[in-house]
PDB file of all heavy atoms in Angstrom:
ATOM      1  N   LEU A  95     123.207 123.665  53.095  1.00 93.00           N
ATOM      2  CA  LEU A  95     122.267 123.354  52.021  1.00 93.00           C
ATOM      3  C   LEU A  95     122.324 124.427  50.944  1.00 93.00           C
ATOM      4  O   LEU A  95     122.287 124.135  49.756  1.00 93.00           O
ATOM      5  CB  LEU A  95     120.845 123.219  52.578  1.00 93.00           C
ATOM      6  CG  LEU A  95     120.639 122.047  53.555  1.00 93.00           C
ATOM      7  CD1 LEU A  95     119.227 122.057  54.132  1.00 93.00           C
ATOM      8  CD2 LEU A  95     120.935 120.700  52.894  1.00 93.00           C
ATOM      9  N   GLN A  96     122.446 125.685  51.390  1.00 90.00           N
ATOM     10  CA  GLN A  96     122.558 126.777  50.414  1.00 90.00           C
ATOM     11  C   GLN A  96     123.809 126.638  49.563  1.00 90.00           C
ATOM     12  O   GLN A  96     123.856 127.096  48.433  1.00 90.00           O
ATOM     13  CB  GLN A  96     122.593 128.144  51.116  1.00 90.00           C
ATOM     14  CG  GLN A  96     121.312 128.530  51.843  1.00 90.00           C
ATOM     15  CD  GLN A  96     120.131 128.693  50.905  1.00 90.00           C
ATOM     16  OE1 GLN A  96     120.312 128.920  49.715  1.00 90.00           O
ATOM     17  NE2 GLN A  96     118.932 128.555  51.434  1.00 90.00           N
ATOM     18  N   ALA A  97     124.846 126.043  50.111  1.00 91.00           N
ATOM     19  CA  ALA A  97     126.084 125.864  49.347  1.00 91.00           C
ATOM     20  C   ALA A  97     126.072 124.551  48.567  1.00 91.00           C
ATOM     21  O   ALA A  97     127.061 124.174  47.955  1.00 91.00           O
ATOM     22  CB  ALA A  97     127.280 125.905  50.300  1.00 91.00           C
ATOM     23  N   VAL A 543     117.642 143.113  48.143  1.00 94.00           N
ATOM     24  CA  VAL A 543     117.481 141.911  47.310  1.00 94.00           C
ATOM     25  C   VAL A 543     117.697 140.663  48.172  1.00 94.00           C
ATOM     26  O   VAL A 543     116.935 139.701  48.136  1.00 94.00           O
ATOM     27  CB  VAL A 543     118.498 141.918  46.136  1.00 94.00           C
ATOM     28  CG1 VAL A 543     118.478 140.592  45.390  1.00 94.00           C
ATOM     29  CG2 VAL A 543     118.209 143.070  45.187  1.00 94.00           C
ATOM     30  N   ILE A 547     115.038 137.558  49.094  1.00 93.00           N
ATOM     31  CA  ILE A 547     115.288 136.133  48.832  1.00 93.00           C
ATOM     32  C   ILE A 547     115.223 135.337  50.129  1.00 93.00           C
ATOM     33  O   ILE A 547     114.613 134.275  50.197  1.00 93.00           O
ATOM     34  CB  ILE A 547     116.681 135.926  48.188  1.00 93.00           C
ATOM     35  CG1 ILE A 547     116.744 136.640  46.835  1.00 93.00           C
ATOM     36  CG2 ILE A 547     116.971 134.447  48.010  1.00 93.00           C
ATOM     37  CD1 ILE A 547     118.111 136.623  46.194  1.00 93.00           C
ATOM     38  N   ALA A 548     115.839 135.883  51.169  1.00 92.00           N
ATOM     39  CA  ALA A 548     115.883 135.175  52.452  1.00 92.00           C
ATOM     40  C   ALA A 548     114.468 134.938  52.966  1.00 92.00           C
ATOM     41  O   ALA A 548     114.146 133.862  53.473  1.00 92.00           O
ATOM     42  CB  ALA A 548     116.693 135.971  53.471  1.00 92.00           C
ATOM     43  N   GLU A 551     112.985 132.110  51.066  1.00 87.00           N
ATOM     44  CA  GLU A 551     113.610 130.822  51.375  1.00 87.00           C
ATOM     45  C   GLU A 551     113.435 130.443  52.843  1.00 87.00           C
ATOM     46  O   GLU A 551     113.770 129.320  53.226  1.00 87.00           O
ATOM     47  CB  GLU A 551     115.106 130.880  51.072  1.00 87.00           C
ATOM     48  CG  GLU A 551     115.427 131.181  49.628  1.00 87.00           C
ATOM     49  CD  GLU A 551     115.673 129.911  48.824  1.00 87.00           C
ATOM     50  OE1 GLU A 551     116.268 128.963  49.377  1.00 87.00           O
ATOM     51  OE2 GLU A 551     115.267 129.876  47.658  1.00 87.00           O
ATOM     52  N   VAL A 553     115.235 131.562  55.370  1.00 87.00           N
ATOM     53  CA  VAL A 553     116.523 131.462  56.079  1.00 87.00           C
ATOM     54  C   VAL A 553     117.003 132.876  56.398  1.00 87.00           C
ATOM     55  O   VAL A 553     116.542 133.833  55.786  1.00 87.00           O
ATOM     56  CB  VAL A 553     117.608 130.732  55.230  1.00 87.00           C
ATOM     57  CG1 VAL A 553     117.203 129.295  54.970  1.00 87.00           C
ATOM     58  CG2 VAL A 553     117.868 131.459  53.921  1.00 87.00           C
ATOM     59  N   VAL A 557     122.756 133.905  55.474  1.00 90.00           N
ATOM     60  CA  VAL A 557     122.962 132.560  54.935  1.00 90.00           C
ATOM     61  C   VAL A 557     122.968 132.608  53.395  1.00 90.00           C
ATOM     62  O   VAL A 557     123.638 131.823  52.735  1.00 90.00           O
ATOM     63  CB  VAL A 557     121.876 131.607  55.471  1.00 90.00           C
ATOM     64  CG1 VAL A 557     121.830 130.306  54.690  1.00 90.00           C
ATOM     65  CG2 VAL A 557     122.112 131.339  56.957  1.00 90.00           C
ATOM     66  N   ILE A 558     122.233 133.554  52.833  1.00 93.00           N
ATOM     67  CA  ILE A 558     122.225 133.715  51.372  1.00 93.00           C
ATOM     68  C   ILE A 558     123.603 134.244  50.930  1.00 93.00           C
ATOM     69  O   ILE A 558     124.314 133.588  50.189  1.00 93.00           O
ATOM     70  CB  ILE A 558     121.119 134.702  50.929  1.00 93.00           C
ATOM     71  CG1 ILE A 558     119.765 134.270  51.476  1.00 93.00           C
ATOM     72  CG2 ILE A 558     121.097 134.850  49.414  1.00 93.00           C
ATOM     73  CD1 ILE A 558     119.187 133.002  50.900  1.00 93.00           C
ATOM     74  N   PHE A 559     123.961 135.433  51.372  1.00 94.00           N
ATOM     75  CA  PHE A 559     125.303 135.961  51.167  1.00 94.00           C
ATOM     76  C   PHE A 559     125.690 136.781  52.384  1.00 94.00           C
ATOM     77  O   PHE A 559     124.836 137.471  52.949  1.00 94.00           O
ATOM     78  CB  PHE A 559     125.385 136.881  49.938  1.00 94.00           C
ATOM     79  CG  PHE A 559     125.372 136.158  48.623  1.00 94.00           C
ATOM     80  CD1 PHE A 559     124.397 136.424  47.677  1.00 94.00           C
ATOM     81  CD2 PHE A 559     126.346 135.207  48.326  1.00 94.00           C
ATOM     82  CE1 PHE A 559     124.379 135.758  46.458  1.00 94.00           C
ATOM     83  CE2 PHE A 559     126.340 134.539  47.106  1.00 94.00           C
ATOM     84  CZ  PHE A 559     125.344 134.810  46.170  1.00 94.00           C
ATOM     85  N   MET A 567     130.594 142.652  45.862  1.00 94.00           N
ATOM     86  CA  MET A 567     129.785 142.949  44.669  1.00 94.00           C
ATOM     87  C   MET A 567     129.831 144.446  44.381  1.00 94.00           C
ATOM     88  O   MET A 567     129.945 144.869  43.234  1.00 94.00           O
ATOM     89  CB  MET A 567     128.327 142.530  44.886  1.00 94.00           C
ATOM     90  CG  MET A 567     128.122 141.030  44.921  1.00 94.00           C
ATOM     91  SD  MET A 567     126.375 140.643  45.252  1.00 94.00           S
ATOM     92  CE  MET A 567     126.574 139.033  46.022  1.00 94.00           C
ATOM     93  N   PHE A 578     130.290 137.411  38.187  1.00 94.00           N
ATOM     94  CA  PHE A 578     129.663 137.208  39.496  1.00 94.00           C
ATOM     95  C   PHE A 578     130.385 136.113  40.283  1.00 94.00           C
ATOM     96  O   PHE A 578     130.520 136.174  41.496  1.00 94.00           O
ATOM     97  CB  PHE A 578     128.190 136.853  39.313  1.00 94.00           C
ATOM     98  CG  PHE A 578     127.376 137.016  40.560  1.00 94.00           C
ATOM     99  CD1 PHE A 578     127.095 138.275  41.073  1.00 94.00           C
ATOM    100  CD2 PHE A 578     126.887 135.914  41.247  1.00 94.00           C
ATOM    101  CE1 PHE A 578     126.355 138.441  42.236  1.00 94.00           C
ATOM    102  CE2 PHE A 578     126.141 136.067  42.411  1.00 94.00           C
ATOM    103  CZ  PHE A 578     125.873 137.331  42.901  1.00 94.00           C
ATOM    104  N   GLU A 586     129.603 127.966  42.913  1.00 90.00           N
ATOM    105  CA  GLU A 586     128.789 127.621  41.746  1.00 90.00           C
ATOM    106  C   GLU A 586     127.318 127.461  42.093  1.00 90.00           C
ATOM    107  O   GLU A 586     126.429 127.868  41.357  1.00 90.00           O
ATOM    108  CB  GLU A 586     129.321 126.331  41.120  1.00 90.00           C
ATOM    109  CG  GLU A 586     130.658 126.561  40.456  1.00 90.00           C
ATOM    110  CD  GLU A 586     131.253 125.281  39.904  1.00 90.00           C
ATOM    111  OE1 GLU A 586     130.512 124.308  39.728  1.00 90.00           O
ATOM    112  OE2 GLU A 586     132.473 125.278  39.671  1.00 90.00           O
ATOM    113  N   HIS A 587     127.089 126.846  43.243  1.00 91.00           N
ATOM    114  CA  HIS A 587     125.710 126.583  43.621  1.00 91.00           C
ATOM    115  C   HIS A 587     124.936 127.885  43.834  1.00 91.00           C
ATOM    116  O   HIS A 587     123.821 128.047  43.355  1.00 91.00           O
ATOM    117  CB  HIS A 587     125.708 125.748  44.903  1.00 91.00           C
ATOM    118  CG  HIS A 587     124.404 125.103  45.176  1.00 91.00           C
ATOM    119  ND1 HIS A 587     123.960 124.007  44.485  1.00 91.00           N
ATOM    120  CD2 HIS A 587     123.432 125.418  46.065  1.00 91.00           C
ATOM    121  CE1 HIS A 587     122.773 123.659  44.945  1.00 91.00           C
ATOM    122  NE2 HIS A 587     122.430 124.504  45.903  1.00 91.00           N
ATOM    123  N   LYS A 588     125.568 128.796  44.517  1.00 92.00           N
ATOM    124  CA  LYS A 588     124.883 130.060  44.808  1.00 92.00           C
ATOM    125  C   LYS A 588     124.756 130.924  43.556  1.00 92.00           C
ATOM    126  O   LYS A 588     123.801 131.667  43.415  1.00 92.00           O
ATOM    127  CB  LYS A 588     125.615 130.821  45.905  1.00 92.00           C
ATOM    128  CG  LYS A 588     125.424 130.177  47.256  1.00 92.00           C
ATOM    129  CD  LYS A 588     125.708 131.132  48.383  1.00 92.00           C
ATOM    130  CE  LYS A 588     125.482 130.428  49.702  1.00 92.00           C
ATOM    131  NZ  LYS A 588     125.924 131.235  50.833  1.00 92.00           N
ATOM    132  N   LEU A 589     125.727 130.815  42.677  1.00 93.00           N
ATOM    133  CA  LEU A 589     125.617 131.555  41.425  1.00 93.00           C
ATOM    134  C   LEU A 589     124.345 131.123  40.704  1.00 93.00           C
ATOM    135  O   LEU A 589     123.525 131.941  40.297  1.00 93.00           O
ATOM    136  CB  LEU A 589     126.830 131.284  40.531  1.00 93.00           C
ATOM    137  CG  LEU A 589     126.648 131.735  39.075  1.00 93.00           C
ATOM    138  CD1 LEU A 589     126.642 133.257  38.992  1.00 93.00           C
ATOM    139  CD2 LEU A 589     127.729 131.167  38.173  1.00 93.00           C
ATOM    140  N   ALA A 590     124.192 129.806  40.568  1.00 92.00           N
ATOM    141  CA  ALA A 590     123.049 129.294  39.823  1.00 92.00           C
ATOM    142  C   ALA A 590     121.753 129.681  40.523  1.00 92.00           C
ATOM    143  O   ALA A 590     120.767 130.033  39.886  1.00 92.00           O
ATOM    144  CB  ALA A 590     123.154 127.782  39.696  1.00 92.00           C
ATOM    145  N   LYS A 591     121.768 129.638  41.842  1.00 92.00           N
ATOM    146  CA  LYS A 591     120.536 129.857  42.581  1.00 92.00           C
ATOM    147  C   LYS A 591     120.158 131.338  42.698  1.00 92.00           C
ATOM    148  O   LYS A 591     119.007 131.703  42.583  1.00 92.00           O
ATOM    149  CB  LYS A 591     120.684 129.271  43.984  1.00 92.00           C
ATOM    150  CG  LYS A 591     119.520 128.370  44.343  1.00 92.00           C
ATOM    151  CD  LYS A 591     119.722 127.637  45.624  1.00 92.00           C
ATOM    152  CE  LYS A 591     118.368 127.463  46.304  1.00 92.00           C
ATOM    153  NZ  LYS A 591     118.474 126.917  47.632  1.00 92.00           N
ATOM    154  N   TYR A 592     121.151 132.183  42.946  1.00 93.00           N
ATOM    155  CA  TYR A 592     120.821 133.580  43.279  1.00 93.00           C
ATOM    156  C   TYR A 592     121.479 134.616  42.387  1.00 93.00           C
ATOM    157  O   TYR A 592     121.258 135.806  42.579  1.00 93.00           O
ATOM    158  CB  TYR A 592     121.241 133.896  44.720  1.00 93.00           C
ATOM    159  CG  TYR A 592     120.701 132.947  45.717  1.00 93.00           C
ATOM    160  CD1 TYR A 592     121.547 132.217  46.545  1.00 93.00           C
ATOM    161  CD2 TYR A 592     119.331 132.752  45.827  1.00 93.00           C
ATOM    162  CE1 TYR A 592     121.041 131.322  47.472  1.00 93.00           C
ATOM    163  CE2 TYR A 592     118.816 131.860  46.740  1.00 93.00           C
ATOM    164  CZ  TYR A 592     119.673 131.152  47.562  1.00 93.00           C
ATOM    165  OH  TYR A 592     119.180 130.281  48.463  1.00 93.00           O
ATOM    166  N   GLY A 593     122.336 134.145  41.477  1.00 94.00           N
ATOM    167  CA  GLY A 593     123.099 135.112  40.691  1.00 94.00           C
ATOM    168  C   GLY A 593     122.236 136.171  40.039  1.00 94.00           C
ATOM    169  O   GLY A 593     122.468 137.372  40.213  1.00 94.00           O
ATOM    170  N   GLN A 594     121.193 135.722  39.333  1.00 94.00           N
ATOM    171  CA  GLN A 594     120.432 136.650  38.499  1.00 94.00           C
ATOM    172  C   GLN A 594     119.881 137.873  39.232  1.00 94.00           C
ATOM    173  O   GLN A 594     120.109 138.989  38.784  1.00 94.00           O
ATOM    174  CB  GLN A 594     119.306 135.929  37.756  1.00 94.00           C
ATOM    175  CG  GLN A 594     119.658 135.536  36.333  1.00 94.00           C
ATOM    176  CD  GLN A 594     120.688 136.414  35.638  1.00 94.00           C
ATOM    177  OE1 GLN A 594     120.565 137.642  35.568  1.00 94.00           O
ATOM    178  NE2 GLN A 594     121.736 135.793  35.127  1.00 94.00           N
ATOM    179  N   PRO A 595     119.146 137.710  40.316  1.00 94.00           N
ATOM    180  CA  PRO A 595     118.587 138.919  40.938  1.00 94.00           C
ATOM    181  C   PRO A 595     119.652 139.938  41.353  1.00 94.00           C
ATOM    182  O   PRO A 595     119.435 141.145  41.224  1.00 94.00           O
ATOM    183  CB  PRO A 595     117.838 138.389  42.169  1.00 94.00           C
ATOM    184  CG  PRO A 595     118.165 136.959  42.285  1.00 94.00           C
ATOM    185  CD  PRO A 595     118.690 136.485  40.983  1.00 94.00           C
ATOM    186  N   PHE A 596     120.807 139.451  41.794  1.00 96.00           N
ATOM    187  CA  PHE A 596     121.860 140.389  42.189  1.00 96.00           C
ATOM    188  C   PHE A 596     122.470 141.057  40.964  1.00 96.00           C
ATOM    189  O   PHE A 596     122.687 142.262  40.943  1.00 96.00           O
ATOM    190  CB  PHE A 596     122.939 139.675  43.014  1.00 96.00           C
ATOM    191  CG  PHE A 596     122.483 139.331  44.400  1.00 96.00           C
ATOM    192  CD1 PHE A 596     121.960 138.089  44.691  1.00 96.00           C
ATOM    193  CD2 PHE A 596     122.532 140.279  45.419  1.00 96.00           C
ATOM    194  CE1 PHE A 596     121.515 137.771  45.965  1.00 96.00           C
ATOM    195  CE2 PHE A 596     122.086 139.982  46.694  1.00 96.00           C
ATOM    196  CZ  PHE A 596     121.575 138.720  46.966  1.00 96.00           C
ATOM    197  N   ILE A 597     122.719 140.242  39.940  1.00 95.00           N
ATOM    198  CA  ILE A 597     123.285 140.809  38.714  1.00 95.00           C
ATOM    199  C   ILE A 597     122.326 141.869  38.157  1.00 95.00           C
ATOM    200  O   ILE A 597     122.736 142.973  37.788  1.00 95.00           O
ATOM    201  CB  ILE A 597     123.552 139.693  37.678  1.00 95.00           C
ATOM    202  CG1 ILE A 597     124.698 138.806  38.179  1.00 95.00           C
ATOM    203  CG2 ILE A 597     123.884 140.286  36.314  1.00 95.00           C
ATOM    204  CD1 ILE A 597     124.986 137.592  37.309  1.00 95.00           C
ATOM    205  N   SER A 598     121.036 141.550  38.148  1.00 94.00           N
ATOM    206  CA  SER A 598     120.071 142.515  37.608  1.00 94.00           C
ATOM    207  C   SER A 598     120.080 143.801  38.423  1.00 94.00           C
ATOM    208  O   SER A 598     120.019 144.897  37.865  1.00 94.00           O
ATOM    209  CB  SER A 598     118.656 141.944  37.628  1.00 94.00           C
ATOM    210  OG  SER A 598     118.619 140.744  36.921  1.00 94.00           O
TER     211      SER A 598
END
Side-chain angles (χ1 to χ4, degrees):
L95 295 176
Q96 294 296 338
V543 172
I547 298 174
E551 300 265 323
V553 296
V557 166
I558 306 292
F559 285 122
M567 290 178 207
F578 197 70
E586 290 176 18
H587 196 75
K588 287 200 179 172
L589 166 70
K591 230 172 147 187
Y592 307 122
Q594 263 332 307
F596 287 95
I597 291 175
S598 303

